[in-house]
Amino acid sequence: MSDAQAALQDREINRSHMTVSDEIAIEISNMNKWYGTFHVLRDINLTVNRGERIVICGPSGSGKSTLIRCINALEEHQKGNITVDGTVLSTDLKNIDKIRSEVGMVFQHFNLFPHLTILENCTLAPIWVRKVPKREAEETAMYFLEKVKIPEQANKYPGQLSGGQQQRVAIARSLCMRPRIMLFDEPTSALDPEMIKEVLDTMIALAEEGMTMLCVTHEMGFAQAVANRVIFMDQGQIIEQNEPKAFFNNPQNERTKLFLSQILGH
Amino acid sequence: MSETHAHSAAFVRTAILPPAAPPPGQTGVLRWMRENLFSSIPNALLTLLALYFVYTILAAILPWTLNGIWDAGSLTECRAIRDERGLSTAACWAVINERWLQLLFGFYPIDAPLLARLFYADELAAAGGMDAVFGPGSNATARIEFVGTMRAELGNALVFFFGYWRPLLALALLVVAVAPVLYNNLPRGMLIFSLIYPFLAVFLLWGGSIWGPISVALGLALSLYILKYAGARFGGLLGGLAMIVTLLCFFFNPLSLLGISGLFPLLPHVSGLLGTILPFGLPAITSDDFGGFMLAIIIGTSGIVLSLPLGIVLALGRQSSMPLIKWVCVTFIEVIRGVPLIVWLFTASLLLNYFLPPGTNFDLLLRVIIMVTLFASAYLAEVVRGGLAALPKGQYEAADSLGLDYWKSMRLIVLPQALKISIPGIVNTFIGLFKDTTLVVFIGLRDPLGLTNAIRATGEWNGIYWELYVFVALLFFVFCFFMSRYSMYLERKLATDRR
């Protein structure tokens, strides 16, 4: 068990707001995707209720990143339906932009805008997409930068920050759009071990506030701490899903057992 | 220390060492010379050899330049003065002294009435006053003689500042108009002047009624307003169509195919009407009289200003996922880039007349500017495409994931970064464009090089080459050097992603 995981378990998690409602946030039914003739996602069915915290794991190439990138149409799916907040994802650009502005996304490599300051990174989308007045957007940005504990960096450029700080800015940037759903695509995979903890802390704080989250991650400590469901994928399919305790202690599928023995074995 | 090691590997520093000065011979000029000039015997030999080369070249050039003769009426006089002084070589700068105005402005007419009124009032009165010399029906031969003697007596400096005040003012205002674009710490309000400037410059340089440029500006503003209004009301496509119809009605005659003329285009009616209400203007000067370095600046700056947006649009079009747009842009870029500029200039000067409707008199200078712009934009498109390709895919994805639409993500995220990457290439293209303006000499425009031929064709300066070319080269160098320095300044200023 890594240091970061150990550190997570020291922390008291406040579960008072972590409630799952009956309202459906995302519904994916019979979704299929191909890259050329390669079948990357096969018959995905997944319903996410509001307030759920789902961790998706699996070997590399299993299609987990592709799956969450389909939810905000960074990737196109060829068959089946994705409904986000009641809006069916179609090829209509207006539709796509609407869903994207409701769904926040955090990338493995942060993808901050290097030519803008931290504050400008956070206010750009609210000002240009939501048409929020500049002053108000800046106030919101400072609120979220404080939340991720780096308000003092607001006027620096991304290149001057450490990896962990950049990823926290990326989270704040997404939050400034006041999304109802957050997608995390391996948010800690490009970080040094010391910085993983600060990002995971931020994500846990977000979970404590009741945010609907889908996280592709291999941080099993995080999964055990806050997830209410863990999904294991392999070869473009959902192999197994269960609540964390049952998933880790009593995996059913042979592939899942093998995967868990490999990542938890050392 | 060795004792410590012998007993154990543990070590604890108890006192921090203060910083000390480096040993002698490790700093300053001596160290630099030893490291960079005389680090080994072969390097020392190469240094001496290079110094000898520099000496030989300077020994050949400097005496010629510095012994130059500034005061002479012709090349023969120059040579006589040289021999008299017993010099083996001497530049004949006298030709620059006498003809620099011509090299700068070509045959652009001076404002003779203004000069006469300001500095030659007595002689003007003696010749019979303003109307007798410059008024309608005055004797042309007498006028040319009057202006000739006035020029000779006033000297080049006065003629430069007051005779050519129109192109000089245009140049000074160009600096004012360009400054806020180049340096963003200047007040943003100055950008309004930058928008007005093109029309003002056309008025200053070509003269004529002031209502001509104003009507063109009104027509463009009206079209943009209609695009915005109709676009907001009926959608982008209809807005665009309405704008095109407005542009056609204002600047062209869309009914000419049906043989109907008179009502359209609206432009001459508007400017004519305004001209009758409030007549105001400057003496008109045709493009045929334009020449010299002024011509290079006019073609160069218009080409630079117009080709950058066009090049960006072409680069974006080439990346478009819509096949029609993509292939139109690719074909345009490849065709324009695949043919030498001189061929396009000949096309502009000769062939275009065959394709234009008979009777259209399309200004040659305008045609050249259009061709140079198209040519440079094809190159710029490729330079900008390089910048777009260099951006990590994650930047596009991050912009998309925040809900920015295509144009906003291009304008706010992609282009600022892609253009920053392409600055060296863009400025390179601009410098190339500026120097390529000398090619217009082949289609009969009097650019600075063409004027050196004209000067050599006179009896006094027959056979003079180097001095003229050095002067022209210096003029071009000053402008190109500024552009190159500016691009380095811009790169340094925009370097925000330094780690």
Side-chain angles (χ1 to χ4, degrees), chain A residues 69 72 74-75 97 100-101 103-105 107 110-116 121 124-125 128-129 131 157-161 166 173-174 177, chain B residues 391-406 408-409 411-417 420 493-499:
Chain A
R69 288 160 62 87
N72 69 349
L74 286 182
E75 304 275 356
D97 283 338
R100 281 173 178 165
S101 61
V103 178
M105 175 128 186
F107 299 89
F110 333 135
N111 296 350
L112 294 178
F113 305 129
H115 62 300
L116 302 176
N121 263 279
L124 182 115
W128 290 93
V129 180
K131 314 283 181 205
Y157 286 94
Q160 298 167 301
L161 268 56
Q166 290 196 43
R173 177 176 73 178
S174 297
M177 287 294 279
Chain B
L391 263 204
K393 207 172 148 228
Q395 292 291 312
Y396 294 84
E397 286 177 354
D400 283 348
S401 75
L402 287 171
L404 293 167
D405 62 26
Y406 175 81
K408 279 181 194 147
S409 72
R411 185 157 67 103
L412 301 166
I413 308 298
V414 175
L415 281 177
Q417 296 184 64
K420 190 186 95 187
K493 198 185 78 170
L494 297 180
T496 56
D497 50 355
R498 239 176 329 183
R499 277 169 197 272

Side-chain angles (χ1 to χ4, degrees), chain A residues 135-196:
Chain A
R135 179 173 296 260
E136 197 185 318
E138 280 175 356
E139 276 164 16
T140 314
M142 287 313 294
Y143 170 77
F144 284 111
L145 285 175
E146 254 155 52
K147 220 152 219 197
V148 301
K149 302 193 177 69
I150 33 178
E152 70 281 0
Q153 314 283 8
N155 291 313
K156 288 193 182 167
Y157 286 94
Q160 298 167 301
L161 268 56
S162 74
Q165 291 174 323
Q166 290 196 43
Q167 192 61 296
R168 285 184 283 152
V169 172
I171 294 171
R173 177 176 73 178
S174 297
L175 291 176
C176 283
M177 287 294 279
R178 309 260 184 201
R180 309 187 69 188
I181 301 164
M182 285 287 285
L183 308 174
F184 292 84
D185 187 3
E186 306 207 25
T188 55
S189 304
L191 295 175
D192 292 340
E194 280 184 317
M195 298 172 180
I196 291 179

Side-chain angles (χ1 to χ4, degrees), chain B residues 89-352:
Chain B
T89 58
C92 186
W93 297 123
V95 64
I96 308 298
N97 201 6
E98 189 187 302
R99 299 297 186 112
W100 60 280
L101 280 179
Q102 197 181 2
L103 285 169
L104 289 183
F105 298 106
F107 295 105
Y108 194 86
I110 58 168
D111 194 344
L114 179 74
L115 277 173
R117 203 176 291 151
L118 286 178
F119 304 105
Y120 220 53
D122 298 343
E123 291 82 346
L124 186 66
M130 188 55 92
D131 280 344
V133 182
F134 295 107
S138 62
N139 185 340
T141 328
R143 185 171 67 238
I144 290 168
E145 198 178 317
F146 178 84
V147 172
T149 37
M150 177 174 70
R151 270 192 85 139
E153 279 191 27
L154 289 179
N156 280 343
L158 274 184
V159 174
F160 174 70
F161 283 113
F162 296 95
Y164 291 109
W165 67 272
R166 280 164 60 175
L168 278 186
L169 184 60
L171 181 66
L173 293 178
L174 173 70
V175 174
V176 179
V178 164
V181 182
L182 295 187
Y183 300 99
N184 66 357
N185 44 7
L186 291 170
R188 296 294 83 194
M190 283 174 78
L191 284 170
I192 295 172
F193 179 73
S194 309
L195 283 178
I196 298 170
Y197 176 76
F199 305 100
L200 190 59
V202 165
F203 173 64
L204 279 173
L205 292 171
W206 276 270
S209 164
I210 196 171
W211 298 111
I214 288 182
S215 309
V216 172
L218 283 178
L220 291 177
L222 182 71
S223 309
L224 285 178
Y225 176 75
I226 285 180
L227 171 71
K228 204 175 160 198
Y229 177 78
R233 190 107 192 240
F234 309 109
L237 188 69
L238 272 176
L241 279 177
M243 182 186 76
I244 291 172
V245 170
T246 320
L247 281 175
L248 281 175
C249 291
F250 208 83
F251 295 103
F252 304 97
N253 180 5
L255 303 177
S256 68
L257 288 176
L258 303 173
I260 303 170
S261 60
L263 181 58
F264 295 116
L266 293 170
L267 179 66
H269 299 299
V270 173
S271 66
L273 183 68
L274 289 170
T276 46
I277 295 170
L278 190 68
F280 178 73
L282 287 170
I285 293 164
T286 63
S287 300
D288 298 340
D289 294 329
F290 282 51
F293 199 60
M294 183 182 113
L295 191 68
I297 295 181
I298 291 174
I299 299 175
T301 36
S302 346
I304 285 170
V305 169
L306 297 171
S307 64
L308 186 59
L310 190 57
I312 292 171
V313 169
L314 283 170
L316 291 179
R318 192 169 184 161
Q319 282 210 327
S320 168
S321 53
M322 285 180 252
L324 182 70
I325 292 179
K326 181 176 176 166
W327 290 111
V328 166
C329 291
V330 169
T331 315
F332 177 89
I333 292 170
E334 298 299 340
V335 168
I336 294 275
R337 223 161 41 122
V339 177
L341 176 59
I342 190 73
V343 174
W344 290 120
L345 290 178
F346 277 122
T347 313
S349 79
L350 305 169
L351 283 175
L352 226 54

